[in-house]
Amino acid sequence: MRKPLENVTARLDSWSLNPVAVTGVSGTRALLGFVGLMYYVSQYQERNYLFGPGGVLPHEEFKAQLTGFSLYTLSASPGYFQFVYHVGIAAALAVMLGVGGRPGLALHWALLWSVYQRQPGLLDGGDNLAYVVIPFLLLTRCYDRFALPTGLVSRLAERVPGRLRAVSVPFHNLGVLMVAVQICLVYVVSGLYKVMGEEWQDGTALFYIMRVAEFELPGWSSLVYENDVLVVLGTYGTVAFLVYFPLGVLVPALRPWAAAASICFHLSIAFFMGLTGFALTMIACDLVFLSDALDRAVLWARGRLPGARKPATAAPDEAAPDEAKPAEAARPGGESGTQTATPAAELV
């Protein structure tokens, strides 16, 4: 009886002291910022027609049919619209570059929600996941990696009491857990929903999907839907992958392979169906399962920079913390470094 209790205590201590998947969740933040920026920039030339107060959906009609909130309802002034739209671009760029911290991320979420609500006909499904995931990121240390250094953040962090900084670690792990659970729910619900469809049951769903005019890629889609073997394998393989993805990420040895398969799956969706925003949003969330691989990739890239010192004889993930991560000892969070190698089974 004592040994199981000791194991539970050890896991709770690890949960409270060791932030997990910091690199992965930082990649999630950066990529979600890029997706938001891409949405703003891609519609920039037609912004007045699509989102403006005198555009395709006039301001008063928009206010009448809106069920949530949007900053674009506060004024019908063209100048106000231009101001909010361009602030949204700046906020998305700041999130991508890692500037502004949690307040900037919260502002980006509010502005992104507002512009999505302004013209829902342009959405591809990735917006629903972004709505949910970005608030989870506010709990995490997603600005510890892939962020431009700012002295202001360091000075503010030094003023935070030590006890409050200690609480940030379990909150970070909770946020990572919520992102991981959310992406698993998306896969399972989507897979089970497909199982109920007749076309998915008889193996022909991919044939019909790739022939839809809005999603067909001329010259390429026909190579798939005209091949019976590819259609059947693609249809059944999609359902199997979606349903069993959570089981793959629960097994540490299979986790990177499941995440890599998911990334390839969504890259194919972006290529063949043109759902780029949706695909990149899903890939961003998959990065929480690839944190260790991202750490190794960063170390590999740093080792090949001009003037970089080669690490000691130990492997990158076996290097002594005092030697391998001197810069992390003084991170703004106050912790002595991030142990991203903590088993992610504790997260999911």
Side-chain angles (χ1 to χ4, degrees), residues 114-185:
S114 298
V115 75
Y116 282 160
Q117 294 296 311
R118 185 64 180 91
Q119 191 53 262
L122 299 176
L123 305 180
D124 59 9
D127 57 292
N128 293 322
L129 187 58
Y131 293 156
V132 178
V133 168
I134 292 178
F136 296 161
L137 293 180
L138 294 173
L139 299 175
T140 68
R141 296 169 50 178
C142 60
Y143 281 83
D144 279 19
R145 305 285 192 277
F146 311 126
L148 295 179
T150 56
L152 177 61
V153 174
S154 300
R155 290 193 296 270
L156 291 176
E158 292 174 356
R159 297 179 178 274
V160 178
R163 293 181 180 180
L164 188 58
R165 290 200 301 268
V167 175
S168 69
V169 176
F171 272 108
H172 163 84
N173 291 340
L174 177 62
V176 175
L177 173 63
M178 295 168 73
V179 173
V181 171
Q182 180 63 43
I183 193 68
C184 289
L185 285 175

Side-chain angles (χ1 to χ4, degrees), residues 248-258:
V249 298
L250 283 174
V251 181
L254 297 178
R255 188 175 302 123
W257 298 103

